[in-house]
Amino acid sequence: MTPRPRKASAVPAGLLREVRASALRGEPLLAAFDFDGVLSPIRRFPGQARMSDRTRSLLKRLGEAKRTRTLIVSGRALRFLRRAAAGTGAALAGDHGLEFEGMGPPWKHPALDELARHARALARAARKATKRLKGVAVELKTATVSVHWRRAPSVRRDPEPLRALLESLAPPGWRVAPGLMLWELRPLVAWGKGHLIEYAQAGLGARILFVGDDHTDEEGFRRLGREAWCVRVGPGETSARWRLHGVEAVDELLTAALEARLQVEAAPAGRARERSSTRRAPQR
Ligand SMILES: [Mg+2]
């Protein structure tokens, strides 16, 4: 299905219908969001990325709704996410899902400590190798190394030589993956955002909403399949069923999901069940 832009709402009508119908059926919801480019606009300096007060408040209120959990799943390290999402109550998954907290006991991938050691060494090597490339910034996460080139004009013209350079540094078992104006050195582990979301979902038996905008999110969309409500933010090829045209529309989706969950809370239990079994969710 090709998502279409709509005048009335920035959120696709079909997605709204499904979210509302699911709330009426009383289904638990796990609402998962990437951070950069989804909850926060992409910033020139990655350290400046932050959620607006409105997004923060919507996320918090959605997480407080009955049978609803929120999760931020990002390539950032947990220590960044703890600050960035403070007060929202969202569970947090860092390093593309290799570390996770806020829903039951904290969890980390069994290989994380060893991968983190490799990542530290790789970050040192990458800093040394890119020292002369003006504007390139090397960011060490826990078990991944992001090499940002948004502010490097020479790399923006042709990012491939930098990729080749990083390939030459990557030890066996590591790969260079594309991101938004960055190359990322990532360990080849068969575990990503989609796996983490499934892991989080397993204890909840919840419907999954997953909103993302980049390559690792696409891996997640493919992993989660058609059962989940996967939503791509922004342009580009996608295997997500739905699309939002920009980060501003994420607030609209949060609002719609929140309203759907609150409406059901407000309705007498019997009435919500009756409505869900006898007629379709309201059409817009
Ligand atoms: Mg992103």
Side-chain angles (χ1 to χ4, degrees):
M1 180 184 300
T2 311
R4 287 172 304 170
R6 297 185 63 86
K7 280 198 188 103
S9 167
V11 183
L15 175 60
L16 286 180
R17 269 200 301 277
E18 291 197 21
V19 167
R20 287 173 182 152
S22 167
L24 282 172
R25 286 193 297 270
E27 290 172 352
L29 169 68
L30 174 63
F33 303 86
D34 176 34
F35 185 76
D36 292 272
V38 174
L39 294 176
S40 159
I42 303 279
R43 296 288 181 206
R44 190 170 157 86
F45 300 96
Q48 290 175 343
R50 67 183 296 273
M51 268 185 272
S52 71
D53 291 344
R54 177 169 157 74
T55 306
R56 183 181 298 276
S57 156
L58 285 167
L59 189 64
K60 176 171 187 288
R61 292 172 61 204
L62 180 61
E64 288 167 352
K66 282 208 182 94
R67 293 186 290 275
T68 308
R69 292 305 309 262
T70 51
L71 166 66
I72 299 176
V73 54
S74 164
R76 302 268 199 164
L78 267 186
R79 61 180 180 277
F80 172 87
L81 296 176
R82 283 187 198 120
R83 275 198 316 275
T88 62
L92 305 174
D95 247 282
H96 307 294
L98 290 174
E99 42 182 1
F100 176 45
E101 66 181 28
M103 214 183 273
W107 175 90
K108 64 181 178 182
H109 192 278
L112 184 65
D113 290 340
E114 197 194 336
L115 295 172
R117 270 199 303 281
H118 291 165
R120 284 195 293 274
L122 257 177
R124 277 195 299 276
R127 282 196 187 103
K128 203 169 153 193
T130 59
K131 209 163 53 187
R132 286 172 206 285
L133 280 173
K134 197 170 157 30
V136 168
V138 176
E139 180 191 6
L140 171 64
K141 297 167 181 174
T142 307
T144 36
V145 178
S146 294
V147 182
H148 300 267
W149 45 263
R150 182 177 297 272
R151 296 192 298 124
S154 64
V155 183
R156 284 177 73 136
R157 278 192 294 277
D158 180 10
E160 283 307 314
L162 177 59
R163 180 197 189 108
L165 174 66
L166 296 172
E167 297 271 12
S168 74
L169 301 177
W174 286 69
R175 65 171 165 151
V176 179
L180 289 175
M181 296 215 171
L182 59 88
W183 294 118
E184 197 156 64
L185 287 150
R186 288 176 65 189
L188 281 164
V189 281
W191 184 270
K193 290 182 175 182
H195 298 78
L196 188 281
I197 292 170
E198 284 177 339
Y199 175 81
Q201 186 266 359
L204 305 171
R207 288 300 302 257
I208 293 169
L209 167 70
F210 177 36
V211 189
D213 76 321
D214 64 31
H215 296 271
T216 58
D217 301 322
E218 287 293 334
E219 290 170 6
F221 297 154
R222 288 193 290 276
R223 171 83 198 174
L224 295 170
R226 307 291 286 184
E227 274 299 290
W229 300 317
C230 291
V231 183
R232 165 85 179 211
V233 178
E237 279 283 297
T238 187
S239 28
R241 203 166 134 213
W242 311 105
R243 188 191 302 276
L244 299 177
H245 287 274
V247 69
E248 319 74 39
V250 175
D251 280 353
E252 275 198 54
L253 174 58
L254 280 165
T255 305
L258 176 63
E259 279 170 2
R261 310 299 291 178
L262 293 182
Q263 219 159 27
V264 173
E265 271 181 35
R271 196 169 143 248
R273 270 198 302 278
E274 184 193 319
R275 286 177 67 191
S276 71
S277 61
T278 55
R279 65 176 213 213
R280 294 184 59 169
Q283 307 259 335
R284 281 286 292 277

